[in-house]
Amino acid sequence: FSSIQVMSEDERDELLAFLIKADFGVMLAEELLDIVEEYPPEEREMRLRTLLASYLPPKPEPIKIASEPPTVYYFFGVNGVGKTTTIAKFAHILKKRGKVMVIGADTFRAAATDQLGLWAEKVGVDAHLGERGADPSSVIYTGVEKAKARGYDFVLVDTAGRMSTKKNLIEELKKMERVVKKVVPDAPHESFLVLDATQGQAAFRQAKTFMEAVQVTRIILTKLDSTAKGGFIFSIWKELGLPIAFLSFGQELDDWVEYSPSVILDNLFG
Amino acid sequence: DLSDKLVNMLNSLRKKGKLTKEDIDKFLKNLKMVLLASDVGFDVVRVFIKDVRKKLEEANIEKSISPVDQLTKIVYDEMREILGQPVPLKLKPGKLTQILLVGLQGSGKTTTAGKLAYYIKKKLRKSPILVAADTYRPAAAQQLRTLANEVDAGFYSMVKEDGTLDIDGYKKFIRGTLYDVAIIDSAGRMHVDEELMEEIKQLHEALQPDYVFLVADAMLGQEAVDIADAFHKALPISGVILTKVDGDTRGGAALSLRYVTGVPIYFMGMGEKVDALEPFDPDEISARILD
Ligand SMILES: Nc1nc2c(ncn2[C@@H]2O[C@H](COP(=O)(O)OP(=O)(O)OP(=O)(O)O)[C@@H](O)[C@H]2O)c(=O)[nH]1
Ligand SMILES: Nc1nc2c(ncn2[C@@H]2O[C@H](COP(=O)(O)OP(=O)(O)OP(=O)(O)O)[C@@H](O)[C@H]2O)c(=O)[nH]1
Ligand SMILES: [Mg+2]
Ligand SMILES: [Mg+2]
């Protein structure tokens, strides 16, 4: 008889508010509510929580390490999401596991390589920084060549922010991916798309566009220290199958955790 | 795609002729979904739909001969009214005008400071100085200084060697200059970070700026409502500058920001270069939100 208990408009709207305000997006929110609606009222919130757990990517495989050094990691995404700061955090961790070089291939923005250079200094790793206005692909090429010759274990490549709508910038990223293979054929070993949790549904479109252009292996979700929940990662997993590597909660070097579904769920229901 | 749904619905309503209450309810439900898909805040959408419904009743839409055209017009008019008109940046003649830029991390404050300086030089033919006040971000002052050189504006940094702000030093310095406008670039901060929100209140208190602009990313999601509310409560926000409008966001945050703060959106950032700043265009933004 419990299936006779239809969800009232107000009740459905309350649950819709919860999902929308968490940036789930309308499509997925409605789909989830259609499922939850079938259960008796007293079970609905618990059912929603279980359902959401099933819609999340599982804890992923450990990050890929190259069979012979250097291991090359790319970081890209739209403007201001936290790429450069995230690289500093990665460098801080990876330096305990090997010799790290960061490559400043944002040759466009004012003081971009200065910012990365200061972080490298602070963390205590080496930096290969491009001249402003130089071709980012040649900066990467020279940097990775140097890293290979001098026995670096990890190379972290910082790129300029780019709107996924700008075709020439997407082409530039494709070239940056091709060029590194001349030095290290399997590179980049991981390609991190950095997404800002305070963004709305544009994050999904960014993921889709970047994936159509280059290899994207994992997402890094930043600015979770806001009240944003980053609900778009659910539809990114569902529609695009993109796993999440890393969750960033602030501007300092240890303001991050490795992705796990429980972190997302606790943040959502917290 | 949701907005196609709206278009298809309007076309089928057009064939119907007169509208029933059910047609209107169905239309408003679809409109609600379009607005939510455009990142307009949930509570803002609720109020918007309520207002549109009221306007439809007042217009006696069920008795109308060409209801679909009237329906579309009412929705667009309501959207444009909320988004408001662009407001010119008025400067104090013969005196220093101080503009303080505040907002979340990475929203585009420093870049916008450069764009404002360019605008003030080129369009208003006045003399701007860029003032660095970000003690946290590595190379923040360098970034602003580079922009100042690019647009041929003055530059001053309040940031001391020990990482604190020398506000008195700035006040002393600026009094001895003849700049028309000082644009002060602050550090990015989360609206939920009590310490940083307290800090910006203190900076504002010490400077007493003529304008306080909330620099906000057009791609913001539902968070835009909370951000607008927190900054609006903490500071006397004079206006909003919407950045990264050149992305593919539908820009619903613009509506939320307007609803919550009630202040005008002065400018929109349309790209990364210093000349990519335009007066806010409500027609462009309404079209993006509704399409
Ligand atoms: N609160 C908070 N701030 C963050 C986080 N990650 C990065 N930031 C801040 O966001 C701002 C932008 O970070 P960047 O690392 O410069 O971002 P980016 O993607 O490299 O930016 P562009 O290179 O200009 O596209 C800085 O002020 C960072 O300190 C985070 O997880 N939380
Ligand atoms: N495409 C585009 N990029 C923009 C726009 N405005 C700013 N940016 C970019 O957004 C990124 C962040 O800009 P910043 O000026 O460093 O942002 P911020 O608010 O000063 O960052 P914090 O000081 O760390 O809080 C940079 O890559 C800028 O070039 C815009 O209107 N369009
Ligand atoms: Mg960067
Ligand atoms: Mg800045």
Side-chain angles (χ1 to χ4, degrees):
Chain A
F1 293 111
S2 54
S3 58
I4 299 172
Q5 296 246 21
V6 175
M7 201 191 261
S8 73
E9 274 243 24
D10 287 345
E11 225 185 311
R12 183 166 175 123
D13 209 51
E14 279 311 303
L15 281 179
L16 183 69
F18 171 74
L19 292 171
I20 294 293
K21 286 183 181 183
D23 287 312
F24 269 74
V26 176
M27 291 286 180
L28 186 58
E30 291 281 295
E31 180 180 320
L32 292 166
L33 291 181
D34 287 344
I35 296 172
V36 166
E37 200 167 45
E38 296 295 308
Y39 293 102
E42 65 277 7
E43 277 185 49
R44 279 172 193 152
E45 190 171 326
M46 184 223 55
R47 290 284 178 179
L48 181 63
R49 183 158 181 146
T50 320
L51 188 63
L52 289 176
S54 73
Y55 269 67
L56 273 174
K59 214 165 186 321
E61 294 293 317
I63 291 177
K64 195 155 174 262
I65 308 266
S67 47
E68 58 175 273
T71 295
V72 181
Y73 297 147
Y74 272 29
F75 296 79
F76 44 80
V78 303
N79 307 70
V81 295
K83 300 176 289 302
T84 307
T85 310
T86 299
I87 286 174
K89 294 173 183 176
F90 265 69
H92 185 52
I93 293 298
L94 292 174
K95 73 180 189 214
K96 301 181 193 128
R97 294 211 254 154
K99 199 166 154 201
V100 178
M101 174 199 278
V102 299
I103 295 183
D106 177 353
T107 55
F108 176 80
R109 206 204 71 207
T113 52
D114 296 285
Q115 182 189 5
L116 184 67
L118 284 172
W119 269 121
E121 220 175 292
K122 197 168 180 198
V123 169
V125 298
D126 297 329
H128 173 82
L129 306 172
E131 290 286 325
R132 198 169 175 210
D135 172 18
S137 296
S138 52
V139 173
I140 293 173
Y141 187 88
T142 333
V144 177
E145 243 187 351
K146 194 197 300 179
K148 192 170 169 191
R150 298 185 196 179
Y152 282 85
D153 298 295
F154 296 101
V155 178
L156 310 178
V157 179
D158 190 16
T159 65
R162 66 201 63 232
M163 284 304 173
S164 44
T165 46
K166 309 230 156 112
K167 290 218 162 70
N168 59 325
L169 297 181
I170 295 295
E171 284 307 311
E172 182 186 77
L173 190 62
K174 282 185 184 172
K175 185 175 172 206
M176 289 157 84
E177 185 184 58
R178 280 197 305 274
V179 141
V180 72
K181 295 184 188 300
K182 296 182 188 164
V183 186
V184 178
D186 294 342
H189 301 93
E190 292 280 350
S191 293
F192 298 102
L193 173 63
V194 183
L195 297 174
D196 183 334
T198 65
Q199 281 175 306
Q201 299 309 302
F204 180 87
R205 292 190 284 279
Q206 284 161 26
K208 196 158 188 284
T209 309
F210 277 100
M211 283 177 89
E212 285 166 2
V214 295
Q215 160 187 272
V216 181
T217 57
R218 303 178 196 240
I219 289 173
I220 291 171
L221 191 61
T222 63
K223 305 186 196 169
L224 281 163
D225 49 315
S226 64
T227 41
K229 311 293 183 191
F232 49 75
I233 58 161
F234 286 83
S235 35
I236 287 177
W237 174 245
K238 179 170 185 282
E239 309 290 331
L240 305 173
L242 201 47
I244 303 163
F246 193 89
L247 305 169
S248 171
F249 290 87
Q251 301 179 253
E252 303 304 324
L253 289 172
D254 22 77
D255 287 338
W256 63 275
V257 293
E258 274 188 46
Y259 167 79
S260 81
S262 56
V263 177
I264 299 292
L265 290 172
D266 292 343
N267 194 40
L268 186 60
F269 287 96
Chain B
D1 180 85
L2 278 171
S3 43
D4 287 342
K5 207 174 178 195
L6 205 63
V7 167
N8 291 336
M9 177 173 202
L10 287 171
N11 288 334
S12 65
L13 287 179
R14 213 179 277 278
K15 294 198 190 90
K16 267 197 99 203
K18 285 205 161 210
L19 298 183
T20 65
K21 176 159 191 315
E22 277 182 348
D23 294 326
I24 294 170
D25 284 348
K26 194 151 172 271
F27 171 78
L28 289 177
K29 177 145 201 305
N30 276 315
L31 178 62
K32 172 179 170 182
M33 295 308 164
V34 169
L35 295 174
L36 291 177
S38 289
D39 294 320
V40 180
F42 191 87
D43 297 333
V44 174
V45 173
R46 238 187 211 150
V47 177
F48 185 84
I49 298 292
K50 205 153 131 241
D51 289 347
V52 168
R53 184 186 291 278
K54 190 146 156 271
K55 293 251 157 67
L56 292 177
E57 286 169 4
E58 287 168 4
N60 242 321
I61 197 91
E62 289 173 53
K63 303 237 164 50
S64 169
I65 307 167
S66 59
V68 176
D69 293 334
Q70 205 176 353
L71 189 73
T72 320
K73 182 173 188 308
I74 285 174
V75 172
Y76 264 98
D77 285 352
E78 183 68 12
M79 174 76 57
R80 253 190 253 100
E81 187 179 327
I82 296 168
L83 288 175
Q85 288 306 316
V87 175
L89 184 68
K90 289 210 174 75
L91 304 181
K92 284 157 49 183
K95 284 189 175 177
L96 176 73
T97 299
Q98 289 191 111
I99 299 174
L100 175 63
L101 300 183
V102 303
L104 255 62
Q105 286 91 346
S107 57
K109 299 174 292 301
T110 307
T111 309
T112 300
K115 291 178 181 180
L116 277 173
Y118 181 81
Y119 180 85
I120 287 162
K121 274 204 88 128
K122 266 243 161 162
K123 297 276 159 66
L124 304 183
R125 311 214 154 262
K126 295 289 178 187
S127 169
I129 179 169
L130 292 175
V131 183
D134 179 348
T135 56
Y136 298 97
R137 176 166 158 156
Q142 257 160 299
Q143 184 185 2
L144 195 65
R145 182 194 290 275
T146 304
L147 290 166
N149 289 336
E150 252 168 65
V151 306
D152 192 30
F155 174 78
Y156 181 88
S157 175
M158 276 195 215
V159 182
K160 297 209 293 248
E161 280 281 333
D162 64 359
T164 60
L165 285 180
D166 181 5
I167 301 173
D168 291 328
Y170 157 72
K171 285 182 175 174
K172 234 183 179 167
F173 163 80
I174 204 77
R175 270 201 292 273
T177 70
L178 291 172
Y179 290 107
D180 298 305
V181 190
I183 302 160
I184 301 121
D185 178 28
S186 70
R189 69 204 62 236
M190 281 300 171
H191 53 300
V192 289
D193 187 325
E194 292 183 7
E195 204 181 309
L196 287 184
M197 290 307 283
E198 187 52 36
E199 178 197 86
I200 197 68
K201 279 187 190 166
Q202 289 176 8
L203 180 61
H204 176 267
E205 185 63 21
L207 293 174
Q208 297 291 321
D210 304 283
Y211 285 99
V212 181
F213 285 128
L214 173 61
V215 177
D217 195 325
M219 299 187 285
L220 283 173
Q222 293 291 312
E223 190 78 338
V225 174
D226 298 337
I227 293 167
D229 191 51
F231 276 96
H232 182 60
K233 287 201 169 100
L235 301 166
I237 302 287
S238 359
V240 170
I241 298 178
L242 204 63
T243 63
K244 308 179 205 171
V245 177
D246 53 308
D248 74 346
T249 179
R250 308 245 302 252
L255 200 67
S256 306
L257 289 161
R258 276 284 300 155
Y259 238 104
V260 174
T261 65
V263 300
I265 299 176
Y266 276 71
F267 296 104
M268 37 192 220
M270 302 295 288
E272 297 181 72
K273 304 216 171 92
V274 283
D275 58 357
L277 189 72
E278 293 173 18
F280 176 61
D281 182 351
D283 291 331
E284 158 142 14
I285 299 298
S286 355
R288 278 169 71 150
I289 293 176
L290 290 168
D291 290 340

